[in-house]
């Protein structure tokens, strides 16, 4: 009789320990889930912020301003258009276009 009681006591202790371990693992898993959800929210906010920045950077007015100021680009005009015909080996040089502003030496190095 005492032997059966000892075996049952041992089984009950093992079951109790497995319940405690399962609860501990559940808490750890829940904490990891909470951290992952917070990280996902942070990443979503970063994505939204970057999309807003991308839209602001790719606005046509901003691109045109950068093309004019930093890259010193000008709109196409008929006077500056050169047509290349088949078989032509050299291009005629473009006529000099007067600059509205003198270009500074460090002007394209800014980013």
């Amino acid at each position: 009789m005492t032997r059966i009681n000892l075996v049952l006591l041992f089984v009950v202790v093992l079951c109790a320990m497995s319940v405690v371990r399962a609860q501990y693992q559940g808490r750890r898993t829940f904490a990891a889930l909470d951290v992952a959800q917070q990280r996902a929210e942070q990443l979503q906010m970063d994505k939204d912020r970057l999309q807003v920045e991308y839209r602001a950077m790719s606005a046509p007015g901003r691109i045109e301003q950068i093309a004019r100021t930093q890259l010193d680009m000008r709109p196409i005009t008929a006077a500056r258009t050169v047509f290349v015909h088949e078989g032509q080996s050299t291009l005629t040089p473009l006529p000099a276009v007067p600059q509205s502003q003198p270009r500074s030496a460090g002007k394209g190095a800014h980013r």
Side-chain angles (χ1 to χ4, degrees):
M1 191 66 139
T2 58
R3 188 172 265 185
I4 293 176
N5 288 340
L6 287 175
V7 170
L8 289 176
L9 177 66
F10 182 70
V11 170
V12 169
V13 169
L14 283 177
C15 288
M17 290 181 74
S18 69
V19 167
V20 169
R21 183 166 188 237
Q23 288 177 341
Y24 174 73
Q25 290 288 14
R27 284 189 206 109
R28 280 185 50 190
T29 304
F30 184 76
L33 174 66
D34 189 44
V35 169
Q37 286 175 339
Q38 289 176 356
R39 178 75 175 139
E41 289 174 9
Q42 181 65 39
L43 289 173
Q44 183 63 39
M45 288 189 320
D46 289 347
K47 177 186 172 197
D48 294 342
R49 180 184 52 82
L50 289 172
Q51 284 178 338
V52 168
E53 286 180 18
Y54 177 77
R55 283 189 213 110
M57 294 288 212
S58 64
R62 184 174 191 286
I63 293 172
E64 185 175 345
Q65 176 199 16
I66 290 172
R68 288 181 189 272
T69 58
Q70 293 179 2
L71 302 175
D72 198 31
M73 297 175 87
R74 293 178 296 276
I76 298 174
T77 62
R80 295 181 53 218
T81 304
V82 176
F83 295 96
V84 179
H85 300 285
E86 186 176 342
Q88 184 178 352
S89 61
T90 61
L91 295 176
T92 57
L94 290 173
V97 177
Q99 294 278 344
S100 60
Q101 298 175 358
R103 248 182 122 177
S104 63
K107 198 171 190 173
H110 300 286
R111 291 232 168 194

